[in-house]
Amino acid sequence: MSQSTLFDGLQQETTVKTSGPVTCLGQTFASDEDRRKHFTAYLRKKLQEPEFRKIEGFPHGEDEDILNLSDPPYYTACPNPWIADFIAEWEAQKPVLSGVEGAVQPEGYHYHREPFAADVSEGKNHPIYNAHAYHTKVPHKAIMRYILHYTNPGDIVFDGFCGTGMTGVAARLCGDRNAVLELGYQVKSDGTILQEEIDENGKKTSVPFSKLGVRRVVLNDLSPAASFIAYNYNTPVNVAEFESEAKRILKEVELECGWMYETIHTDGKTKGKINYTVWSDVFVCPECTNEIVFWDVAVDRAVQIVLEKFSCQVCNIKLTKKGLDRAWIIKYDQLTNQTVRQVKQQPVLINYSVSNIRHEKRPSSTVMWLHLAGHII
């Protein structure tokens, strides 16, 4: 996708006010920067308290690093001292709903939900999911179903092992009509959400079970990297400013590093831009000790399969991957001043574009030499 269309389709509702008065935890500030300065000063003093630093899970780091990573009171790279304040404020703002079974009711309402008893299967091919890779990541659409079932608008959800913060994304999108409709539910004009069920007579019927509205979320993780990613996933941005800054950074990176992703076209003169390079493991034939490039002997590109049995190109013995030993290389690491042993791999295919048309080629002998010499190609 070209840079000019990179941000096409983003809704301008996601923009945030970057100037003018802002209110946070009952206090009004001249600007968002003033808000940040005020709470950062408080957090700086809090970091000097011995008891605060004794909290289990407190990060090992310098105070300035913690402060630079934080955006108090919304996000802190250490235990957040404002959680109780946010909960008190959210409870005071919680809406009162009526007309829906299980919705928030006036004083005296008794919370009850039947166990969620349905299979949940959501794909991972979604722009939100793919924005940042992380192990054990769960698609936000799957989480939305549980939040809608067990909570009401304004309820507080706590995720103590938040990873990249998909629970926060899901809770916010519970207030997005289109996002809820994508789950296969119905949404009435008053925000009532209905799901299809089978009644006692075997007929399909639409039953109200939740209400459209944002839920509040406290996200926490022992990993500073995870909580930082979660914060950025769940912080509204000014789309125009983000697009402008992203384009500026991409342009600077391309000017500085673009040469590393160039290759010569098969015509011998035109430069193309590398999309990706395929690397293959290298093994050793147990019969003749010849080095075997796995891609060359075991991959049938015509039918796009990996062969279970293949032959050594030198001695022609029949082989399987399990019966091979890896080839290794020994090199000196100048950064650690140590000799390291690494599995041997080599590039076998370059996919590149010339005038937006994709091409493929084998790496040249020059590319191979540069790789073996330890240079970046």
Side-chain angles (χ1 to χ4, degrees):
M1 186 177 292
S2 64
Q3 289 189 18
S4 61
T5 61
L6 183 61
F7 297 92
D8 288 355
L10 288 178
Q11 299 178 347
Q12 292 300 317
E13 303 89 84
T14 59
T15 59
V16 293
K17 185 166 59 174
T18 57
S19 62
V22 296
T23 300
C24 177
L25 291 178
Q27 300 182 62
T28 301
F29 303 92
S31 66
D32 200 49
E33 185 60 31
D34 287 345
R35 180 271 307 169
R36 186 179 293 107
K37 289 180 180 178
H38 171 81
F39 287 104
T40 298
Y42 179 91
L43 182 59
R44 186 185 298 277
K45 293 181 180 179
K46 194 72 176 176
L47 291 173
Q48 306 305 312
E49 299 179 9
E51 292 302 316
F52 182 60
R53 303 187 75 94
K54 290 180 181 179
I55 295 176
E56 187 175 0
F58 197 93
H60 298 288
E62 301 296 329
D63 288 1
E64 289 305 316
D65 294 329
I66 294 174
L67 293 170
N68 288 334
L69 282 173
S70 301
D71 182 21
Y74 303 119
Y75 166 70
T76 59
C78 65
N80 192 318
W82 291 282
I83 290 180
D85 298 320
F86 275 115
I87 291 176
E89 183 175 272
W90 292 341
E91 286 292 336
Q93 296 174 353
K94 183 178 292 187
V96 176
L97 308 176
S98 60
V100 179
E101 182 182 354
V104 177
Q105 300 292 339
E107 185 176 354
Y109 163 70
H110 174 67
Y111 175 87
H112 174 74
R113 292 291 192 280
E114 292 295 324
F116 188 95
D119 293 332
V120 175
S121 177
E122 295 292 346
K124 298 180 180 180
N125 188 25
H126 191 282
I128 293 178
Y129 184 91
N130 292 328
H132 201 294
Y134 197 78
H135 53 280
T136 70
K137 193 169 186 178
V138 177
H140 68 277
K141 286 186 176 181
I143 304 173
M144 285 179 67
R145 297 182 184 275
Y146 292 98
I147 293 178
L148 288 172
H149 178 82
Y150 286 107
T151 69
N152 304 305
D155 279 356
I156 300 170
V157 179
F158 173 71
D159 187 349
F161 301 94
C162 68
T164 56
M166 289 296 98
T167 299
V169 173
R172 178 169 291 276
L173 289 179
C174 285
D176 186 306
R177 179 181 296 270
N178 291 331
V180 174
L181 290 173
E182 287 179 2
L183 300 178
Y185 298 134
Q186 301 176 43
V187 183
K188 297 175 65 175
S189 58
D190 65 352
T192 302
I193 303 174
L194 304 94
Q195 62 183 352
E196 191 175 89
E197 295 183 0
I198 305 297
D199 64 17
E200 56 186 12
N201 297 318
K203 294 183 179 180
K204 292 183 179 179
T205 180
S206 295
V207 179
F209 77 100
S210 190
K211 196 79 172 181
L212 191 70
V214 171
R215 277 66 169 170
R216 309 286 191 174
V217 183
V218 176
L219 300 174
N220 179 77
D221 201 286
L222 288 175
S223 166
S227 61
F228 182 73
I229 296 169
Y231 161 69
N232 284 282
Y233 246 127
N234 289 277
T235 301
V237 298
N238 185 300
V239 173
E241 288 186 4
F242 181 82
E243 178 180 5
S244 176
E245 185 66 7
K247 287 182 176 179
R248 181 191 66 77
I249 294 173
L250 288 171
K251 186 175 181 180
E252 286 186 3
V253 171
E254 185 168 3
L255 288 173
E256 181 179 351
C257 305
W259 63 271
M260 292 192 292
Y261 298 89
E262 290 179 350
T263 188
I264 300 299
H265 189 31
T266 51
D267 62 8
K269 57 182 179 180
T270 307
K271 287 184 177 181
K273 182 173 291 186
I274 296 175
N275 300 312
Y276 61 86
T277 301
V278 178
W279 293 71
S280 173
D281 289 331
V282 180
F283 297 93
V284 177
C285 175
E287 183 69 19
C288 66
T289 69
N290 173 64
E291 286 194 350
I292 298 174
V293 180
F294 190 74
W295 173 272
D296 292 338
V297 299
V299 176
D300 187 334
R301 297 193 62 204
V303 293
Q304 297 184 340
I305 62 171
V306 177
L307 303 174
E308 291 187 6
K309 295 184 178 181
F310 44 88
S311 301
C312 172
Q313 293 172 310
V314 175
C315 66
N316 209 35
I317 186 176
K318 291 294 183 181
L319 302 167
T320 63
K321 186 176 180 181
K322 291 182 178 180
L324 294 174
D325 292 327
R326 291 185 178 274
W328 296 82
I329 57 174
I330 306 296
K331 60 191 299 185
Y332 180 73
D333 190 327
Q334 295 180 346
L335 295 177
T336 63
N337 293 322
Q338 293 180 339
T339 299
V340 294
R341 182 171 179 256
Q342 294 180 334
V343 171
K344 186 173 183 178
Q345 296 177 318
Q346 70 178 50
V348 292
L349 181 72
I350 298 177
N351 181 289
Y352 64 99
S353 296
V354 176
S355 300
N356 294 324
I357 298 177
R358 290 196 170 220
H359 303 272
E360 290 184 348
K361 68 173 187 177
R362 292 280 302 192
S364 66
S365 57
T366 303
V367 169
M368 296 296 291
W369 181 86
L370 286 172
H371 164 61
L372 292 174
H375 294 285
I376 298 175
I377 58 174

